[in-house]
Amino acid sequence: EAGVTQSPTHLIKTRGQQVTLRCSPISGHTSVYWYQQALGLGLQFLLWYDEGEERNRGNFPPRFSGRQFPNYSSELNVNALELEDSALYLCASSQGTGFGAYTQYFGPGTRLTVL
Amino acid sequence: AQSVAQPEDQVNVAEGNPLTVKCTYSVSGNPYLFWYVQYPNRGLQFLLKYITGDNLVKGSYGFEAEFNKSQTSFHLKKPSALVSDSALYFCAVSLLSSNTGKLIFGQGTTLQVKP
């Protein structure tokens, strides 16, 4: 069974640019989660999508946004990139929500570098 | 506020010896607890979880963890460490009482297993 896939693997952008990261969940999973892993800040929850709807977002500015498509894949968009947006962006998926009981399975991540 | 603490930045152990990676949590309700492992330049790999029931949970690759409600701890253990266990380990919690989709992570513990 294929795991969570993310693209691209690496990205280099400059300040002020916009970026789109993509995630395909495990087959049969309907929930997709985005996390940011920045150096020194640990893993921070960004967004949660389930059945095409945004269910929750973490403490990030509105320039971080995303969507979930009918096939449950997801995009994370970051506008007006800042240097501190440099991080590993991890996508995870789960079968459902189950009030946190379902395991989140993570993809390999997209490494974003902002210069 | 909910939080997870991993009090040791690094744990060093000799191959063949038992290992323990510590995790304590602070939540306002009943927690679901998870352990993940991250190898260099990779995403997070699920090891095990505690939802309910037996306090001793067995997971992948010979790892196990013990849920201790009175001490609010969920330490990861393995009877005999392998060099290939060297990686970054994260403890995480989600809450039974809410449906935020969010995993709250500890800051991570680097496990170094020496031959």
Side-chain angles (χ1 to χ4, degrees), chain A residues 37 48 56 99 101 103-104, chain B residues 32 36 38 49 94 100-101 103:
Chain A
Q37 187 177 21
W48 169 31
N56 194 20
F99 283 80
T103 300
Q104 294 183 23
Chain B
Y32 294 139
Y36 289 87
Q38 186 175 34
K49 68 180 180 184
S94 66
T100 66
L103 283 174

Side-chain angles (χ1 to χ4, degrees), chain A residues 58-70:
Chain A
N59 189 23
F60 282 85
R63 57 191 186 84
F64 286 84
S65 65
R67 56 181 172 166
Q68 187 179 32
F69 297 98

Side-chain angles (χ1 to χ4, degrees), chain B residues 16-32:
Chain B
N17 283 359
L19 69 88
T20 299
V21 182
K22 295 179 180 177
C23 171
T24 59
Y25 63 90
S26 174
V27 299
S28 56
N30 290 318
Y32 294 139

